[in-house]
Amino acid sequence: MMRLSLVVPVLLALMLVGVQAFATPNAPDSFFVPVGASGAQSPTGIWWPKSMNSKKPQKVKSVNAGRSNAAKSSVVVWFHGGMGSSNCAKGLVAGTDFANLYPEKIVVSVSACRENHWVTKNMIGVVDAALDSVAARRKSPVERVSLVGVSDGSLGVLVYSLEGRRIVDDRLLMSSFGGFLGEPTPLAVSPKMHSGRWRFLQGGKDRLYPSDKTVPWITEFCKAVQVDCELRFDPEGEHDWSYWKDKHMEWIHEAVRK
């Protein structure tokens, strides 16, 4: 198990704010999750599946209908970029754009920021607390999840895979650099990494995480993790979430199975 305290000083020096593209709001259930014993709170959103009968117009009761459809729906957790930002409510805004891509799933997005970033046990606890809330609201447990992260949000995918309470089925890491957490092989050999699939999207024109650093790390990780792991590389690929959404939606959808 990695020691998070050893990587925090490095991460604080290297964290950069990721650019997010936002769509028309799709109102979530929003609430605050306590962050450890610090007194801080993480603004959190849950987006419920849209009504299965899409031919009928949606009414005010659509949220309740979504919850009724959600008992057996799969759950996706979105880890936004820019975890070093002073904006401690990014999850609510960034999650809205992401949730529009998966109307048939439950999407959960919590908010990380400078003092409570993804590479802390407190924030992994926030994610699990939000999933506990989903289970309580839909009246059925959440035992398995998929994880999607962009930029330094991908570090949240890696750390939740190591520290989280749920089994992970699918992971998508876009414009990532796991090297902030250390060498790839010691991370990959942890038994908790050996469930589900891994998909990495990386670009040759990433201005923050150059491919000559990121691609070797991912390649070594995929060799060591010994499960379904694939790097999809676009030589023209840029860092921002908007690039992947605009250019490679097929890769994003394939990475999180129905």
Side-chain angles (χ1 to χ4, degrees):
M1 191 67 64
M2 70 176 179
R3 296 181 180 178
L4 298 177
S5 60
L6 297 180
V7 301
V8 168
V10 177
L11 287 168
L12 291 176
L14 293 173
M15 285 185 300
L16 297 167
V17 177
V19 177
Q20 307 286 339
F22 306 129
T24 302
N26 171 25
D29 279 357
S30 58
F31 55 102
F32 293 88
V33 180
V35 182
S38 66
Q41 295 182 315
S42 173
T44 298
I46 300 173
W47 289 258
W48 300 99
K50 293 182 179 179
S51 174
M52 299 298 183
N53 188 355
S54 59
K55 294 181 180 180
K56 293 184 178 180
Q58 297 296 307
K59 299 181 180 180
V60 176
K61 295 181 180 179
S62 60
V63 171
N64 290 331
R67 289 190 191 180
S68 67
N69 292 330
K72 296 183 179 180
S73 295
S74 57
V75 179
V76 183
V77 181
W78 169 241
F79 294 82
H80 64 75
M83 71 180 188
S85 170
S86 60
N87 175 5
C88 294
K90 291 190 74 172
L92 283 175
V93 181
T96 294
D97 182 57
F98 180 76
N100 288 330
L101 306 183
Y102 294 102
E104 77 284 3
K105 298 180 183 294
I106 300 169
V107 173
V108 176
S109 180
V110 307
S111 299
C113 60
R114 187 173 298 151
E115 285 76 24
N116 297 296
H117 55 77
W118 295 125
V119 191
T120 63
K121 287 208 172 190
N122 278 345
M123 284 308 300
I124 299 308
V126 167
V127 174
D128 271 323
L131 294 171
D132 290 342
S133 181
V134 171
R137 294 173 189 221
R138 75 177 189 174
K139 297 181 173 60
S140 65
V142 177
E143 298 174 341
R144 314 180 75 93
V145 295
S146 294
L147 311 176
V148 179
V150 65
S151 188
D152 50 22
S154 295
L155 299 177
V157 173
L158 289 163
V159 177
Y160 186 89
S161 296
L162 286 168
E163 305 284 353
R165 290 196 279 111
R166 270 71 179 190
I167 297 169
V168 182
D169 286 328
D170 293 302
R171 304 167 184 85
L172 173 61
L173 299 88
M174 295 172 281
S175 302
S176 65
F177 184 41
F180 289 148
L181 300 180
E183 294 299 315
T185 298
L187 291 175
V189 298
S190 171
K192 293 193 72 173
M193 299 298 222
H194 299 165
S195 68
R197 303 187 306 164
W198 295 83
R199 293 290 182 270
F200 293 84
L201 307 187
Q202 211 68 27
K205 294 185 177 179
D206 191 316
R207 70 189 189 283
L208 299 185
Y209 305 153
S211 59
D212 63 338
K213 302 292 185 183
T214 59
V215 169
W217 193 96
I218 294 167
T219 301
E220 188 65 27
F221 180 89
C222 282
K223 288 180 181 178
V225 77
Q226 298 183 349
V227 292
D228 185 356
C229 185
E230 182 179 343
L231 165 62
R232 292 176 174 178
F233 182 75
D234 178 355
E236 300 300 312
E238 300 172 5
H239 181 81
D240 299 331
W241 160 239
S242 58
Y243 180 87
W244 299 108
K245 190 181 74 166
D246 292 344
K247 303 293 185 181
H248 291 296
M249 276 302 304
E250 75 284 3
W251 288 355
I252 294 171
H253 278 141
E254 190 280 333
V256 180
R257 294 168 289 186
K258 293 183 179 180

